[in-house]
Amino acid sequence: MSIIVQKYGGTSVADADRIRAVADRIVRYRENGHDVVVVVSAMGDTTDDLLMLAQEISPVPEPRELDMLLTAGERIAMSLLAIAVNARGCRAASYTGSQAGIITDTRHGQAKIVEIRPKRIRESLEAGNVVIVAGFQGLSTNYDITTLGRGGSDTTAVAMAAALGAEVCEIYTDVDGVFTADPRVVRTARRIDRISYEEMLELAAAGAKVLQSRSVEYARRTGVRVHVRSSFTDEPGTWVVGEEQDVEVGMEAALISGVALDDTEAKVTLEQVPDRPGVAATIFKAVAAEAVNVDMIVQNVSHQGTTDLSFTIPRDEVPRVESVLERIVKEIGAPRYTVDEQIAKVSLVGAGMKSHPGVAADMFEALSEQGINIEMISTSAIRISCVVRAGDAERAVRAIHTRFGLDGEAPRAEG
Ligand code: ADP
Ligand code: ASP
Ligand code: MG
């Protein structure tokens, strides 16, 4: 029998009514003859609430204990959903990540899946159960409970789909699919029917949180077909598939697939850094030793033997990097560093830009027409990103979206 993996996000299981609606959908799939494995997120804002509670108690909670706490959110959702499915006369059993055989490395809060041992899940399916797995969590190679980073239930779902050879991995969320921009920021954004793994990966990494970027990486590596759709309707959503599959159906890649916004980073600037070989290596080795992920890097031209060097990092890693920076500026002989948290990154993504010159120029012009200053620029083969003031970011996204002809009709206001 074909296996379908379905993942339901926090809004989709936010209260008892929503959980009952999800149970109805699961039972329908089961009645249509599918084996169903469900991956579930914590209800509503549970994860944020638990994080705040921990921070109220200690500003820097022990990562191991924080993971133990946060995984409780998914555990509540999975058991309530199993109760709801059982109440419909359809057998269901829920499993924690650890019980489901999800083995991760030991990096608390950001663990990577290293292996899936789906024996228990297969046996439960064979026994006729709908299997419900807690998202976002696993068991480390040291036998500790870990979490997979914010949005990690998407990755649990794709990894389970890959391990079980599922026909499809359906990601049910609170929007109708992947749009040309966050529909909450750009009301005229359009839903995309199909998008390649590469483009989706760039969009996700650039801040389109509809899918965790690791889940897209995992899907690309294992060839899992992902269908992102709304848990509130039965409409088809967005298929995330390989480029070859697009070619098969005769689709041509769009010039631009979308615009993304990331407001989770901060910019660090080291001022008047001595301009000599080895300085950049010293700085970034020290930052990497703290396991802080550096995104963009910009070094200015040298004046009188010194230069300013800026880079961006996740804002919540600023406290961790600051102690390193204190030490580094002394070591390399720079007078000071500054941290700017009022930045945002706006990115334009599209496979077609590889063969179309002038895309970057058009993007910069769209920003300049709005009087928006660009502070940093970085590119990949299919992405251009600009750092701007946080307060300008949403206006920047809308201007770029319009400039590249992505606007559709605005949905009519409800009510
Ligand atoms: P879930 O709880 O279901 O995992 P998330 O909040 O993680 O949902 O992701 C869905 C949200 O992602 C949407 O509500 C939307 O605001 C946001 N989003 C950002 N960029 C996009 C995009 N390009 N297309 C669709 N949604 C997007
Ligand atoms: N509950 C976790 C989070 O809020 C994981 C997820 O929803 O995917 O990040
Ligand atoms: Mg999510």
Side-chain angles (χ1 to χ4, degrees):
M1 216 191 313
S2 78
I3 300 177
I4 291 190
V5 173
Q6 302 187 329
K7 176 256 172 178
Y8 292 92
T11 319
S12 308
V13 290
D15 54 35
D17 281 345
R18 293 297 310 147
I19 289 177
R20 276 194 288 261
V22 166
D24 287 340
R25 185 186 300 265
I26 294 169
V27 171
R28 257 190 287 136
Y29 270 77
R30 192 81 192 100
E31 283 168 354
N32 285 337
H34 297 288
D35 271 345
V36 187
V37 174
V38 179
V39 172
V40 74
S41 288
M43 295 168 68
D45 297 328
T46 304
T47 309
D48 288 324
D49 294 346
L50 291 173
L51 261 175
M52 262 157 40
L53 192 57
Q55 265 149 12
E56 227 175 84
I57 292 169
S58 158
V60 221
E62 191 64 40
R64 180 187 183 279
E65 300 313 321
L66 199 56
D67 274 358
M68 199 59 110
L69 176 71
L70 295 186
T71 51
E74 269 67 14
R75 210 167 156 145
I76 293 170
M78 73 171 189
S79 40
L80 288 174
L81 184 55
I83 289 168
V85 175
N86 279 325
R88 276 153 181 69
C90 178
R91 286 176 53 194
S94 63
Y95 299 88
T96 64
S98 157
Q99 287 176 311
I102 297 169
I103 313 298
T104 74
D105 64 14
T106 55
R107 224 182 122 192
H108 284 290
Q110 211 39 263
K112 258 205 173 116
I113 296 175
V114 294
E115 194 192 339
I116 300 226
R117 299 176 189 159
K119 186 167 171 282
R120 188 146 186 211
I121 298 303
R122 280 194 193 286
E123 285 169 359
S124 187
L125 282 173
E126 276 157 25
N129 289 316
V130 166
V131 169
I132 302 177
V133 177
F136 172 61
Q137 54 181 271
L139 181 72
S140 81
T141 46
N142 283 344
Y143 303 98
D144 275 320
I145 299 295
T146 49
T147 62
L148 309 178
R150 297 308 304 266
S153 299
D154 299 332
T155 303
T156 307
V158 172
M160 285 309 304
L164 297 167
E167 181 185 321
V168 56
C169 179
E170 295 187 321
I171 304 282
Y172 286 94
T173 184
D174 56 3
V175 286
D176 295 340
V178 180
F179 282 69
T180 49
D182 186 338
R184 295 181 204 286
V185 174
V186 182
R187 288 187 38 80
T188 51
R190 277 183 287 133
R191 187 178 56 76
I192 301 168
D193 288 330
R194 299 168 79 93
I195 187 167
S196 69
Y197 294 127
E198 285 71 22
E199 289 164 294
M200 189 63 234
L201 187 53
E202 291 278 7
L203 274 179
K209 68 167 182 166
V210 61
L211 285 176
Q212 195 197 33
S213 56
R214 272 198 192 160
S215 73
V216 187
E217 246 163 32
Y218 210 109
R220 178 173 65 168
R221 197 170 67 239
T222 52
V224 167
R225 289 148 43 85
V226 177
H227 186 189
V228 182
R229 53 194 304 199
S230 167
S231 68
F232 294 82
T233 71
D234 285 328
E235 298 302 311
T238 301
W239 283 90
V240 187
V241 290
E243 255 166 29
E244 331 72 64
Q245 285 159 291
D246 266 353
V247 173
E248 274 166 32
V249 294
M251 297 240 318
E252 219 181 284
L255 170 62
I256 298 297
S257 39
V259 187
L261 168 61
D262 184 348
D263 57 3
T264 64
E265 295 192 340
K267 179 172 80 171
V268 176
T269 302
L270 300 176
E271 293 179 12
Q272 295 172 47
V273 173
D275 199 7
R276 55 168 195 265
V279 170
T282 307
I283 296 167
F284 291 106
K285 273 210 171 117
V287 173
E290 280 296 309
V292 171
N293 284 318
V294 174
D295 181 16
M296 288 191 189
I297 302 175
V298 169
Q299 183 176 327
N300 290 329
V301 285
S302 167
H303 291 292
Q304 283 125 21
T306 67
T307 175
D308 287 355
L309 191 147
S310 298
F311 55 93
T312 61
I313 57 170
R315 200 178 299 146
D316 55 13
E317 292 183 357
V318 167
R320 212 140 43 90
V321 95
E322 277 198 295
S323 58
V324 181
L325 291 171
E326 301 280 353
R327 179 165 55 78
I328 283 295
V329 288
K330 285 197 195 100
E331 199 178 314
I332 61 177
R336 75 184 81 78
Y337 73 87
T338 56
V339 176
D340 181 351
E341 302 202 340
Q342 296 305 312
I343 61 149
K345 182 175 71 176
V346 183
S347 303
L348 181 67
V349 172
M353 69 172 72
K354 274 192 264 190
S355 49
H356 281 76
V359 172
D362 285 348
M363 177 177 176
F364 302 155
E365 192 175 55
L367 294 176
S368 87
E369 280 166 8
Q370 292 289 319
I372 295 172
N373 190 39
I374 302 171
E375 301 183 18
M376 297 170 102
I377 299 169
S378 80
T379 60
S380 80
I382 61 167
R383 175 187 47 79
I384 305 164
S385 301
C386 296
V387 167
V388 299
R389 286 289 93 205
D392 290 336
E394 294 199 351
R395 206 154 45 89
V397 171
R398 286 192 279 266
I400 297 165
H401 196 266
T402 302
R403 176 63 181 235
F404 285 91
L406 298 173
D407 290 334
E409 272 175 41
R412 243 173 271 153
E414 281 152 34

